[in-house]
Amino acid sequence: MHPASPEGPESPASPAGTPRPRAVVPDLARGVMLLVIALAHAQVLSAGSTAGGALGRAVAALHTIFIDSRGYPMFAALFGYGVVQILARRGLDADARAARRLTRRRGGWMVVFGLFHSLLLFHGDILAAYGLLSLVLVAALRSPDGRLLLHAAIGSVVGALVFGVAALFIPDGSEAVSDPWLSAAYRVVGWIVSTPLFAVMAAGPFLLGIWAARRRLLERPERHAASLRRTAVVGIAAAAVGALPLAALKAELWPGGPAVALAAATALHTLTGVAGGLGYAALLAVLATRIGERRGALVTALLACGERSLTCYLAQSLAWLLLFEPYFAGLGRALTPQAAAAIGLGVWALTVVLADALRRTGRPGPAEALLRRLTYGARPAGQRAPGARAHLDGGMHA
């Protein structure tokens, strides 16, 4: 795996027979960033509403600067990080053939999950894109650090440019389909087109996540506190500055701008979103070091949400279906930006409560349990994965 760190090489594996405990920071980051995902999706599904006054315009601007295209790169990085974690937990980080086989098997099932997610619930699936990355970029698990970082940089730039151009052709969501069967068909057609696009956009952060996992940046944040603080400040600031041109265009401060201006602003917004997503992750790592073992009810619930991120992500999509599709509640066209933000916050909060209820009963998320069973097969009663709790290998992280 070519692990290394400023303090010297670090192997992600634990001594023989000693299972490595589940890292706190990645789960905390997933739990919090599911809020960013919820806020982003709620705004997209309510696009077209021009009401809301000054407050609505302010909420829309803040969404562009701090939310839009800031959650997916962080999740992509956490996904790459989680792949390395799972291989280490199962003792496969030194077995290239077994690691490729496991990674591709999980990736294939995630593509299947993504297909059914899109067919049944939501048009903005990202699961299949992550699965596709597992299938295509599995060789990156053995790449030297220098090559990995170079490919991550190239991937981030290419992904931003591709999305900048693609944004000119993406519908704004103003045309709702009232027939549920036709809506499902449209979602699947969109899934076929969007999955490769999302995979290209997520490739750079995914590779950066692999690089970070080799240094265990999120498992030992206290050793990298200074670097994490710099990453948080620089990354979030770069994302905010990089979002300003697109925010100005959306606010029509530059009315009638050419298509090339929109493409360039979108590409810059997407590229700096990678820095923002990494900055958010670093900020949460810094906060986690200060929290330490003093975990109250909120932090415990957020950790439970992060451990069950796949289930919570799918639960959000069920809520979007029921709330926004015209053949159910059909709220999309009636919401102001601030109302959409409130709904996003509320849906996320409900998933956190759901995850914490599962934690209290000692149960994994049902989606995590299904993915694990499909990937590893059934185990005899009472037998668990090596060095793992019942829900250890679940979630969107791998």
Side-chain angles (χ1 to χ4, degrees):
M1 286 289 188
H2 307 281
S5 77
E7 291 82 25
E10 294 182 6
S11 171
S14 297
T18 305
R20 193 172 74 188
R22 188 176 182 103
V24 170
V25 177
D27 284 332
L28 180 63
R30 292 181 192 103
V32 172
M33 292 311 291
L34 278 168
L35 171 60
V36 177
I37 296 293
L39 293 173
H41 286 168
Q43 291 292 342
V44 168
L45 291 167
S46 63
S49 175
T50 57
L55 178 59
R57 290 190 295 271
V59 170
L62 290 173
H63 169 80
T64 300
I65 295 171
F66 295 108
I67 301 298
D68 187 24
S69 293
R70 273 78 185 123
Y72 89 85
M74 178 175 168
F75 262 120
L78 291 172
F79 177 76
Y81 199 105
V83 169
V84 176
Q85 284 185 304
I86 285 180
L87 295 179
R89 288 184 188 122
R90 294 188 166 265
L92 299 179
D93 46 318
D95 187 338
R97 180 175 300 180
R100 286 196 301 269
R101 187 164 56 245
L102 174 61
T103 303
R104 285 174 173 156
R105 187 162 62 245
R106 289 182 66 87
W109 280 116
M110 288 193 72
V111 172
V112 174
F113 268 57
L115 172 59
F116 281 95
H117 175 221
S118 183
L119 173 67
L120 299 175
L121 297 176
F122 184 59
H123 70 272
D125 170 70
I126 60 173
L127 300 179
Y130 291 171
L132 186 59
L133 287 175
S134 294
L135 297 173
V136 174
L137 297 182
V138 65
L141 293 169
R142 311 300 298 181
S143 295
D145 281 351
R147 184 183 304 170
L148 190 67
L149 291 175
L150 175 62
H151 289 171
I154 294 173
S156 298
V157 172
V158 170
L161 293 175
V162 169
F163 187 71
V165 174
L168 300 177
F169 305 97
I170 296 175
D172 62 4
S174 59
E175 295 297 329
V177 179
S178 57
D179 181 84
W181 300 106
L182 187 58
S183 179
Y186 280 163
R187 288 197 300 269
V188 171
V189 172
W191 176 84
I192 294 172
V193 176
S194 64
T195 294
L197 173 62
F198 291 161
V200 169
M201 293 171 59
F206 171 77
L207 296 175
L208 288 172
I210 294 175
W211 177 85
R214 294 176 179 177
R215 286 154 178 75
R216 302 180 67 177
L217 292 180
L218 301 184
E219 294 158 275
R220 297 175 175 175
E222 67 283 351
R223 295 190 177 186
H224 310 278
S227 297
L228 289 169
R229 284 194 295 269
R230 286 194 297 269
T231 301
V233 172
V234 174
I236 295 174
V241 173
L244 293 179
L246 185 60
L249 286 172
K250 288 187 174 182
E252 298 184 347
L253 298 179
W254 295 340
V260 66
L262 177 60
T266 302
L268 178 63
H269 181 261
T270 303
L271 181 60
T272 55
V274 175
L278 298 176
Y280 286 157
L283 176 61
L284 289 168
V286 172
L287 292 177
T289 59
R290 296 187 177 183
I291 294 172
E293 297 299 322
R294 303 186 305 275
R295 301 173 195 169
L298 176 59
V299 173
T300 300
L302 289 174
L303 291 173
C305 181
E307 290 178 2
R308 297 160 181 84
S309 54
L310 178 56
T311 293
C312 292
Y313 172 71
L314 295 176
Q316 285 189 15
S317 294
L318 176 60
W320 309 141
L321 180 79
L322 297 176
L323 292 171
F324 289 102
E325 289 294 344
Y327 43 86
F328 286 112
L331 297 180
R333 310 269 55 84
L335 293 178
T336 61
Q338 57 266 40
I343 287 179
L345 175 62
V347 167
W348 170 78
L350 286 175
T351 64
V352 174
V353 172
L354 169 65
D356 196 51
L358 291 171
R359 176 194 65 82
R360 291 173 184 275
T361 59
R363 297 177 182 176
E368 283 80 5
L370 177 58
L371 178 59
R372 188 175 60 251
R373 183 181 180 89
L374 291 170
T375 301
Y376 305 114
R379 289 190 173 86
Q383 182 179 348
R384 294 182 177 179
R389 298 199 301 268
H391 57 270
L392 190 60
D393 288 348
M396 289 170 60
H397 55 288

